[in-house]
């Protein structure tokens, strides 16, 4: 394939091959973790990286809607880190299921990235992520959303185009850890929303309205999934740290 789109597609498909996991050892892993924390903790970097966490959050809602046979009609993303996913179809428990899978999803994706990297699937994760982000552009319904998701897709495609197996491993490690931290940060934020009684932006509040189950229960379930994802991420990190020893 001599055309640029053809070459890009070839690199995407080539990514779905298993490779050796990155042999960076414990010291290298610590350095990458520092980079991940630098993305997801300082306020200035969070202004940018937090937008990607919102993308993952909203795509979690969209995936849950599709899994329950609903039709996703649009995704709106905003530069203040807020977003909305709308769907049509069967309601009831399906609507609650769709609403739940927002805040926990960045942590789940982060853990999956670490597991995939530990067992040689980092390039596949980047290729799959690039395809999903580009496909999701069809669902965007506002200009800010196009900018945010378009930028995320461009970065993902750039990693596929310029990175090899080793670079894919490093990128997935940084991204996986940063998403885990970002999920924890967003949970603290939504818990703070409930303390301030500013509930319009809270999925836990929307779940209470839909199910009559109190919001603290939903916040606790969000926290349970997030902390479980963090705990399950220890094993792949140990595998990666021991890879070069």
């Amino acid at each position: 394939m001599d055309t640029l789109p053809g070459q890009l597609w070839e690199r995407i498909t080539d990514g779905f091959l298993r490779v050796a996991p990155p042999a960076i050892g414990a010291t290298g892993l610590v350095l990458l973790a520092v980079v991940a924390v630098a993305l997801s903790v300082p306020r200035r970097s969070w202004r940018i990286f937090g937008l990607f966490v919102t993308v993952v959050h909203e795509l979690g809602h969209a995936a849950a809607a599709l899994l329950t046979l609903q039709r996703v009609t649009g995704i709106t993303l905003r530069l203040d880190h807020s977003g909305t996913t709308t769907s049509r179809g069967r309601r009831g428990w399906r609507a609650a299921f769709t609403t739940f899978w927002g805040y926990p999803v960045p942590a789940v994706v982060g853990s999956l990235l670490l597991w995939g990297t530990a067992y040689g699937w980092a390039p596949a994760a980047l290729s799959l992520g690039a395809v999903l982000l580009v496909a999701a552009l069809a669902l965007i319904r506002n200009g800010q959303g196009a900018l945010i998701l378009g930028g995320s897709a461009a970065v993902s495609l750039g990693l596929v185009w310029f990175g090899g197996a080793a670079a894919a491993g490093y990128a997935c490690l940084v991204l996986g850890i940063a998403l885990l931290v970002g999920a924890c940060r967003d949970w603290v934020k939504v818990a703070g929303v409930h303390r301030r009684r500013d509930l319009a932006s809270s999925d836990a509040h929307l779940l209470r309205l839909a199910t009559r189950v109190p919001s603290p229960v939903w916040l606790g379930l969000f926290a349970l999934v997030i902390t479980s994802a963090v705990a399950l991420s220890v094993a792949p990190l140990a595998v990666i740290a021991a890879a070069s020893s």
Side-chain angles (χ1 to χ4, degrees):
M1 296 183 183
D2 295 330
T3 65
L4 182 60
Q7 293 176 17
L8 179 58
W9 181 250
E10 186 174 359
R11 296 199 184 195
I12 288 174
T13 55
D14 286 347
F16 288 95
L17 298 174
R18 192 175 183 183
V19 299
I24 60 173
T27 301
L29 184 59
V30 169
L31 291 175
L32 291 179
V34 169
V35 174
V37 170
L39 278 177
S40 53
V41 172
R43 182 173 298 178
R44 288 186 178 181
S45 57
W46 177 251
R47 289 177 183 173
I48 303 300
F49 184 73
L51 295 173
F52 178 70
V53 176
T54 301
V55 169
V56 178
H57 175 122
E58 296 304 328
L59 290 181
H61 287 313
L66 293 173
L67 285 172
T68 53
L69 304 180
Q70 299 178 72
R71 183 167 66 90
V72 179
T73 57
I75 296 175
T76 300
L77 301 167
R78 306 176 190 87
L79 293 173
D80 63 357
H81 294 192
S82 65
T84 305
T85 298
T86 55
S87 61
R88 293 179 181 176
R90 302 171 182 178
R91 310 310 292 172
W93 69 268
R94 293 174 178 83
F97 183 81
T98 299
T99 304
F100 180 84
W101 289 107
Y103 284 103
V105 170
V108 173
V109 171
S111 184
L112 289 174
L113 284 173
L114 297 180
W115 278 97
T117 302
Y119 291 97
W121 296 107
L126 289 185
S127 290
L128 179 60
V131 170
L132 291 175
L133 290 172
V134 171
L137 285 168
L139 298 172
I140 292 296
R141 296 294 181 264
N142 67 325
Q144 291 184 15
L147 175 65
I148 294 166
L149 186 55
S152 300
V155 171
S156 184
L157 290 171
L159 290 171
V160 171
W161 181 264
F162 293 106
Y170 302 151
C172 284
L173 284 172
V174 170
L175 189 57
I177 296 171
L179 282 171
L180 287 168
V181 176
C184 295
R185 180 169 182 155
D186 264 356
W187 184 89
V188 172
K189 179 181 176 180
V190 73
V193 162
H194 282 262
R195 288 195 298 271
R196 296 191 302 271
R197 309 297 297 176
D198 181 19
L199 303 179
S201 61
S202 169
D203 288 351
H205 175 65
L206 296 176
L207 284 163
R208 182 189 71 80
L209 295 178
T211 65
R212 298 185 181 179
V213 175
S215 297
V217 174
W218 294 112
L219 289 171
L221 290 173
F222 292 162
L224 177 62
V225 177
I226 292 169
T227 54
S228 296
V230 172
L232 289 171
S233 299
V234 174
L237 290 174
V239 170
I240 294 165
S244 61
S245 61

